[in-house]
Amino acid sequence: MASATSLTDDHLLCAICLSAFNKPASIPCGHTFCLQCIEKHWVHGGVLFNCPLCKEEFSPKPMLRVNIVIAEMEEKFKNMFENKSGNATEETGNGEVLCDRCTEPKSAALKSCLVCLMSFCETHLEPHQNKSALKKHKLILPVKNLESRLCKDHDEPLELFCRDDQMFLCQSCKQNDHKCHMVVTLEEEAQLRRAQLAEEKEGTDQMIHARQQKFHEIQSSLEENRKYVEEALSCSSRVMTAMGDFIKRSQIELAEVIKAKQNEIEKQAIDFINEMDEEMIQIKKKELQLNEVSPTDDHLTFLENVISLTITSPQVKDWSDVSLKSDQLGIREAVAELETTITTEISRLCDPTFKEKQKYAVDVTLDPDTANPSLNVSEDGKQVMHRDRKRSVQINPERFDHVLNVLAKEGFCSGKFYYEVQVKDKTQWNLGVASSSINRKGDIRLSPRNGYWTICMRKGGEFIANAFPPENLQVRKSPQKVGVFVDYEEGQVSFYDVDARAIIFCFSGCTFTENLFPFFSPAANDGGTNSAPLIITPVTYNR
């Protein structure tokens, strides 16, 4: 008996497949073959079953079992071979699969056989290319750990893929449990997956490219915005400083004009006084002449005295329409108008009193009992939107039955109050306050005459103050959030672009005698283009 150390891989090859034993089975004549190889050889044996090597015949068919001794020898030999192969691979350091049949030094494998479970270089691959029995073996690109390529249930190559169960199959698996499934070869599935991965990669590359472009666009926009902010700050500082200097110079000039006018008025007054003094001298002279006539009851004597008297009439003028105007230039009115104009224009740019108004923030909640049946009010009472289907609601005198309006629960009859409403993504809306006695039935015209102080955004981005008559508003940018401020005693209702801190419009000089309720109208959803809700948002006050 040969020792284990004298064995070569030729001693442990199957004579049928010429590969290393896979579950070696010995027959009565003493020869050993792979269990699967000898079973396939005897499939068409009829009554007699012969040995492929010595041709000895057996009847009945011998019972086949794995030869444990040879199997253990095969396993030891394989382990010894793998250790040597592993050392050789480690020495090469290039990760190549080496030929299992080569002696040292080993050549790189050209193919791996899933039947033999071995890898072969070009020289040792020739039997698989020339012998008809070996040509049927499944050859693949060289890989390590060939046992993982075999089905654990049938010891056959995993050369198929089930798309239904997403698993690898051998031919026996396909015939047993996957007959009705979509089964393809590994090549077909790999080709499909490669195409899918290539498509996914192309899509991913496009997304990366698009985001890189957008990233650069945003970066460029950010830089442009920073430059714009710097220029805006510089411009505002320069303009405000110039305006301040101009106002100071104008104040000096105006003071000189006022003083000059005062001097002129004083000179005129002195001239008037001097002129009247001269007239007084003449008038008093005439008075003396008149006093020279002696009083007497004798008519003849009286007439002789009067006729002989020579009276000089003074040269005087009519002073009834002569007066001094203390403010002929209307300076006070002009300055007041100037103050109003400057304050209004600056407030439209950025109202410096805006934060003060935010201090009067109140908690406002929508009243569903006043909402039109086509309006949907959120459970927390902070949002309202139009929906196509009417709700089933209780009829009450406080509910708007025709127009898409809703009031807040809270009413105010004194002091100041402020709240904010998000109008983002909307194309139409109405906001403001309304008196408690307003008409809520039928068609309604929003006007202070009818108890409504509101502004609106119409389709197309047009902003209107619902005054009498309505007034078109010049808005630099559509607001995302609108602030509403009411000063009850002053009779003032103001609307603000919260983000810009700029005033949009102000009703002033109003007279309030009833409770005022915050008023909301999200308008029709317009086929979805105006479906965003009006949202009452918390007021964030920054000192």
Side-chain angles (χ1 to χ4, degrees), residues 299-332:
H299 301 306
L300 180 62
T301 304
F302 174 75
L303 290 175
E304 288 178 345
N305 293 334
V306 171
I307 293 172
S308 63
L309 181 64
T310 302
I311 300 175
T312 304
S313 298
Q315 298 297 317
V316 295
K317 67 181 181 181
D318 183 6
W319 291 90
S320 59
D321 294 332
V322 177
S323 64
L324 291 177
K325 295 182 179 179
S326 60
D327 192 10
Q328 294 181 11
L329 291 178
I331 292 175
R332 286 177 296 182

Side-chain angles (χ1 to χ4, degrees), residues 437-457:
S437 63
I438 55 173
N439 175 36
R440 310 182 189 200
K441 305 303 179 183
D443 197 10
I444 297 172
R445 181 178 178 83
L446 300 180
S447 169
R449 290 190 173 187
N450 298 327
Y452 294 89
W453 292 267
T454 63
I455 65 170
C456 70
M457 178 184 181

Side-chain angles (χ1 to χ4, degrees), residues 117-149:
L117 295 182
M118 297 180 69
S119 299
F120 303 99
C121 63
E122 184 177 3
T123 301
H124 291 106
L125 187 63
E126 289 182 2
H128 283 76
Q129 296 171 335
N130 299 326
K131 294 185 178 181
S132 58
L134 297 180
K135 286 182 179 181
K136 298 178 181 179
H137 288 193
K138 182 66 176 179
L139 297 176
I140 61 173
L141 293 175
V143 295
K144 298 179 181 179
N145 192 17
L146 285 168
E147 289 84 354
S148 64
R149 304 298 180 101

Side-chain angles (χ1 to χ4, degrees), residues 229 357 389 504 527 534:
V229 169
K357 292 178 172 60
R389 182 177 299 176
I504 300 174
L534 290 176

